[in-house]
Amino acid sequence: MTAPQDRDLNHLHPYMRERLEPWRAAVAKAGLNYLIYETFRTAQRQVDLYAQGRTAPGAVVTYTLDSTHEYGLATDGVPLVWDKARQVWVQDWSHAAYDRVYRAVPPSRYDLELLSWEKPHLQVRGVNGPRQDQSASVFAARLGIKANQLVGSVWPKKTPPKAAAALPAPVTRPAAGRVLVPSRSGAWVDVRGQRLVVPATGATVVINATAQDGDVYLGGLLHPER
């Protein structure tokens, strides 16, 4: 019995998912429907598929025991067409249906590639080398991706929350402004809260300044009481 098929897009490696999803969105925008029916593949399923047509019944469906699927870097899919008579979407496995999708939205524009001998298969570009004869493990090793380890992915990608803007530093103000009068030496002296004499009348006053007032300069109009 062949190991079960996995069609969960969240089981693709992020390196593949980031290329596949923009391509899928472009396919949908072009008015086409394309079903992904296999994503990540376990080692056991790959062994089972490899045996098919060799030591097990059925036709040959794969030529390798080192599939790109085992790294989460490939998908298998099929175009869907609308059946007007039955009013349902049906799978169209014809070369014409695949060519219609791939011509409308070339996978190469999204850093993806096809296999010359397998229409449903879509993988990251360059995984098998320029002649498509390189082992997937060689490409994956360069990216630090290991076979048969389900890393998984999320789409749309989660973006980290933006750091909160730093609050401006509080403006420190003096608790009160100063009341300044000139001393005999010419220096300004703070007489806030002291009793001052009005020379013209001899009356005394007390003047305070608030922080909003800032410094108050009285010049020679008043002088401290002696």
Side-chain angles (χ1 to χ4, degrees):
M1 181 178 177
T2 304
Q5 189 179 69
D6 184 350
R7 61 174 59 188
D8 191 338
L9 291 172
N10 289 333
H11 290 173
L12 289 171
H13 192 280
Y15 190 86
M16 175 62 174
R17 191 78 181 272
E18 291 168 4
R19 289 155 176 77
L20 178 70
E21 291 295 357
W23 179 80
R24 291 181 66 228
V27 168
K29 188 175 181 180
L32 301 168
N33 203 344
Y34 187 89
L35 170 69
I36 301 291
Y37 64 84
E38 184 159 17
T39 56
F40 182 79
R41 189 177 293 169
T42 64
Q44 184 58 55
R45 176 165 171 78
Q46 189 63 31
V47 168
D48 293 344
L49 292 176
Y50 188 81
Q52 187 174 314
R54 295 181 175 86
T55 59
V60 172
V61 293
T62 183
Y63 297 90
T64 182
L65 286 171
D66 183 39
S67 171
T68 318
H69 286 278
E70 295 176 81
Y71 301 87
L73 297 176
T75 63
D76 289 334
V78 59
L80 300 180
V81 295
W82 183 249
D83 187 325
K84 293 182 181 179
R86 292 187 291 165
Q87 293 293 292
V88 293
W89 289 98
V90 296
Q91 299 172 3
D92 188 344
W93 297 91
S94 69
H95 281 203
Y98 280 102
D99 291 343
R100 189 180 308 116
V101 173
Y102 297 150
R103 280 200 300 265
V105 188
S108 59
R109 293 181 183 174
Y110 297 84
D111 206 23
L112 299 168
E113 68 182 9
L114 306 168
L115 296 179
S116 59
W117 63 87
E118 187 181 350
K119 289 287 186 179
H121 187 87
L122 194 61
Q123 64 185 25
V124 294
R125 184 162 56 184
V127 68
N128 293 128
R131 295 192 301 272
Q132 294 190 340
D133 59 355
Q134 174 182 271
S135 169
S137 62
V138 175
F139 180 89
R142 296 195 197 107
L143 299 176
I145 301 173
K146 296 181 180 179
N148 306 305
Q149 289 191 4
L150 201 163
V151 175
S153 57
V154 176
W155 195 268
K157 292 190 298 183
K158 293 182 178 179
T159 54
K162 294 182 179 179
L167 296 175
V171 178
T172 56
R173 298 179 181 275
R178 296 178 298 176
V179 178
L180 301 170
V181 297
S183 67
R184 293 178 180 175
S185 64
W188 291 96
V189 178
D190 184 7
V191 293
R192 179 187 60 234
Q194 297 183 33
R195 192 172 296 280
L196 305 176
V197 178
V198 182
T201 63
T204 59
V205 295
V206 175
I207 299 178
N208 286 307
T210 66
Q212 290 74 21
D213 295 329
D215 291 340
V216 177
Y217 292 85
L218 298 179
L221 299 177
L222 303 174
H223 56 77
E225 184 180 35
R226 294 178 174 81

